[in-house]
Amino acid sequence: MESGRWRRGAVSRGMLPLLALHAANEYYRLPWKPPVTAGLLAANTLIYLRPAFLDSLLPFVDEVWFNPHLIIKNKDMKRFFLSVFYHVDESHLVYNMMSLLWKGIQLETSMGSSEFASMVVVLLGLSQGITLLMAKSLLVFFDYGRPYYSEYAIGFSGLLFAMKVVLNSQSENFANVHGLIVPSRYAAWAELILIQMFVPRVSFLGHLGGILAGILYLKLKGSYSGPDPLTRIIRELTGVLRWPIRFIRNMFRLRRQRISGRGTVGSERRSLSGIWRCPACTYDNNDWARNCEMCGTSRSNNGGFLRQTSRRSRDIPLEELRRLRVERFG
């Protein structure tokens, strides 16, 4: 999460094509493509680029800076939720998205898309809420309003710190944090200190709020034995949204089957609607076919069998039938 004032007219350093190439390469080699991670990458990048078709819909960055004073004073939930998806410049965006790509792929692959999406929503609310609470507490109890209570910050890194805590919670390995080897479960704390030492412009409270949000999420998840209600809701919603896609896909699949007229030989599955099985060679044919495509047995209009050709009869030797199959499909 980057703090400070917005700098307009930042010059592109040509890093976005490298991000796109890296993301495409990672997804190409994956057998299963995590959709939620891809959606988060696309959302952050589109908000930064502000294409013409989105320009009128997206608020400007001056309207979404995370500022505890303005959020509490104006009850501005737009700043609370949207500041995560905005970035100061191209390097800020690319660094965060590279980290999101690595963490998101691992978490979504292990958890599943519905649970991962649920986790992202919960971590976003927790990290922003904890950051807001800490900034207000410093003002009320220690009369320390600057820089934290009046700080302006944006960026996805607070949420990335929370995801790092979840990802490394059960790891017994060691991690390399900017050249420092530490146990993986403490990697987020080490990165928090190192980044604050060498990059003073970043938001300390934003990153600390992300770490505490990850710890709280793990505690809540560990204490709740039943299925996550938010995960269930997301799973039901995605199921509803996928239904039209499945329907269209099944329609095209059925159309291809009817055109190709291919079936299965010797299948042990039950007869399906629109398919009839030849009793002579057990080949499954499409319902519109009058004769068996394998051995030529004719079918009557009422589903019975009229006759077999003299050359391909019910008494055809097994070797001959095998030879005919090879001729037809080999």
Side-chain angles (χ1 to χ4, degrees):
M1 183 173 284
E2 193 87 8
S3 62
R5 280 291 176 182
W6 175 252
R7 295 176 300 172
R8 296 182 183 276
V11 178
S12 173
R13 301 178 184 177
M15 299 175 68
L16 284 177
L18 294 178
L19 171 63
L21 182 63
H22 182 68
N25 180 61
E26 287 293 317
Y27 268 77
Y28 176 76
R29 67 182 184 83
L30 291 173
W32 178 74
K33 323 298 182 187
V36 178
T37 301
L40 290 172
L41 287 167
N44 280 271
T45 305
L46 285 173
I47 287 174
Y48 176 78
L49 293 175
R50 294 186 70 93
F53 68 93
L54 289 177
D55 189 61
S56 60
L57 302 176
L58 295 174
F60 291 101
V61 69
D62 293 328
E63 304 173 52
V64 298
W65 282 104
F66 185 89
N67 181 277
H69 171 67
L70 294 177
I71 292 174
I72 294 175
K73 177 184 177 182
N74 301 325
K75 298 180 175 58
D76 193 346
M77 301 310 293
K78 181 169 58 177
R79 294 180 183 271
F80 185 88
F81 288 108
L82 295 185
S83 58
V84 173
F85 301 98
Y86 282 72
H87 292 84
V88 172
D89 53 31
E90 193 171 4
S91 60
H92 185 208
L93 171 72
V94 171
Y95 181 83
N96 280 348
M97 293 304 99
M98 288 287 195
S99 181
L100 170 62
L101 181 66
W102 184 75
K103 295 179 179 70
I105 287 175
Q106 294 186 75
L107 286 169
E108 188 172 357
T109 302
S110 62
M111 301 171 68
S113 295
S114 299
E115 188 175 353
F116 177 71
S118 167
M119 184 198 72
V120 170
V121 173
V122 173
L123 289 180
L124 191 156
L126 287 177
S127 62
Q128 298 289 80
I130 291 173
T131 303
L132 188 65
L133 181 61
M134 288 191 296
K136 184 65 176 178
S137 298
L138 286 172
L139 177 68
V140 172
F141 297 110
F142 302 99
D143 195 25
Y144 192 71
R146 289 187 177 276
Y148 300 123
Y149 192 66
S150 301
E151 181 182 68
Y152 289 82
I154 52 174
F156 207 80
S157 53
L159 193 53
L160 291 173
F161 269 87
M163 292 170 65
K164 182 189 287 286
V165 171
V166 176
L167 181 62
N168 294 332
S169 59
Q170 303 299 325
S171 176
E172 300 295 335
N173 298 325
F174 288 81
N176 186 331
V177 182
H178 304 289
L180 183 65
I181 305 301
V182 297
S184 294
R185 63 180 60 188
Y186 303 121
W189 292 103
E191 188 171 357
L192 171 69
I193 297 171
L194 290 175
I195 288 181
Q196 196 63 35
M197 289 172 57
F198 296 107
V199 191
R201 289 183 61 241
V202 300
S203 172
F204 176 75
L205 280 192
H207 292 171
L208 178 59
I211 293 176
L212 297 178
I215 295 172
L216 181 58
Y217 172 80
L218 291 172
K219 295 290 185 183
L220 293 173
K221 187 178 180 181
S223 63
Y224 187 72
S225 58
D228 180 7
L230 185 57
T231 301
R232 188 185 307 169
I233 293 172
I234 292 175
R235 188 176 292 122
E236 294 294 331
L237 287 175
T238 54
V240 171
L241 294 175
R242 280 199 298 260
W243 181 85
I245 300 175
R246 287 200 304 267
F247 177 77
I248 295 173
R249 185 185 302 162
N250 291 336
M251 288 291 293
F252 278 102
R253 185 179 302 154
L254 180 61
R255 181 182 179 87
R256 285 197 300 269
Q257 288 177 349
R258 288 182 179 276
I259 292 174
S260 64
R262 298 198 174 215
T264 57
V265 179
S267 173
E268 296 180 358
R269 58 190 173 88
R270 293 177 299 175
S271 295
L272 302 175
S273 176
I275 295 176
W276 61 272
R277 177 168 298 168
C278 175
C281 65
T282 70
Y283 186 82
D284 289 340
N285 299 273
N286 280 313
D287 199 35
W288 54 265
R290 298 282 299 173
N291 299 322
C292 175
E293 294 190 4
M294 178 61 69
C295 67
T297 301
S298 299
R299 180 192 185 202
S300 67
N301 291 331
N302 60 4
F305 296 88
L306 290 175
R307 61 180 178 82
Q308 297 171 347
T309 61
S310 59
R311 184 166 172 265
R312 301 173 184 173
S313 66
R314 211 182 269 267
D315 299 326
I316 188 169
L318 181 60
E319 290 299 326
E320 177 67 11
L321 179 59
R322 189 173 296 146
R323 186 185 66 77
L324 293 172
R325 289 174 176 171
V326 172
E327 285 182 2
R328 183 169 183 82
F329 297 101

